[in-house]
Amino acid sequence: MRAAILKAFGSPLTLETVPDPVLGTGEVIVDVVATRVLAYANEVFSGARNYLMELPMIPGSGAVGRVRALGPDATHLSVGDWVYCDPTVRSRDDALMPEIILQGLVAGSQPALRLQRYFHDGSFAEQMRVPTENVVRIGALDEAEAAAWCALGTLLVPYGGFAAANLTPGETVVVNGATGAFGSAGVAVAMAMGAKLVVATGRNETALADLERRYGRRVRAVRMLGNEESDRGRILEAASGPIDCVLDLLPPAASPSQVRTAVMAVRPYGRVVLMGGVGMAGGAGLELPYPWLMRNCITVRGQWMYAREASTRMIGLVRAGLIDLADFQVTSFGLDAVNEAVTHAAANAGPFRFTVIKP
């Protein structure tokens, strides 16, 4: 099969013919039809993000494709099924504290490298080998629709955050950092999950206005100007009542102050979920007042990715029409143009648009 290979950080991906993946028990071979290119893939491949990954590697996290072959333990999958390949792979030998990798992207810890060495290669290839539990049926679709379904990779992240927060229909939420790809998806997901009101924060005035245009009165945008007290006051004013949940999705370039501004707008007994990248590039950590946390019974939770059942739930939201994949603008490249795709993804990042490769 053909595959794009990252041989060294800072080098372009090279297109080569490599052996087809070999099926093992507890695994599925999938023909990759479309795979999303992360907007920050260039930063990973250059080494700037210092991701834990052993090279050479076929990169690419998550894909939409069709089942080519499956192991003897599969009970529902069939050859030919359209599926989503969830890149969030967990170790199977400790249910309480599983190690996690993102297949084709990063190991979450040094011990997780053992898992990465086995499920090493990702989706920038004509085929990929995936753990059975990470292959999720999408249902019938036309091949032309496959690229749009790669939006699952963006939508699932905020869904994981709201699921961790036990978001209940009728609640008011803040999506902090709503003008990026994951943040804008967070607004769409909160709406689909039944939020009464979504306060969308960010610095990009045009993107904030677009969110209000798309979703109407259930979304209220707040432009962050950099002063904690006044920005928090405008968040509270926009909410017009208690804020039940804050989901932070700010990128590494943001400051802890931007996180704290939104976090401390949550009501007593409220919930906060941290899913962004603040601090990953170094610098100060997030400081929150101990008395405020304690006396107001605030729950603060970190969440990396999402639970195993999230992919099935998200597919259900799309099939129900609660999330419209037509909202996303998709630009497609062939595998021969993989480096151009990586460059395009970086230059065209933003709300409701992404880049895919079609091997």
Side-chain angles (χ1 to χ4, degrees), residues 213-256:
R213 178 191 63 79
R214 287 174 183 267
Y215 296 110
R217 60 184 181 84
R218 286 175 60 199
V219 171
R220 296 179 186 172
V222 175
R223 189 181 180 201
M224 306 294 271
L225 302 176
N227 180 282
E228 276 196 46
E229 186 175 349
S230 63
D231 283 348
R232 187 177 303 120
R234 288 182 298 108
I235 290 172
L236 291 166
E237 181 181 2
S240 301
I243 294 169
D244 301 290
C245 172
V246 175
L247 175 62
D248 181 81
L249 290 159
L250 286 169
S255 71

Side-chain angles (χ1 to χ4, degrees), residues 60-82:
S61 58
V64 173
R66 305 191 79 167
V67 173
R68 169 180 283 264
L70 36 79
D73 58 333
T75 59
H76 294 281
L77 291 168
S78 299
V79 171
D81 281 349
W82 281 100

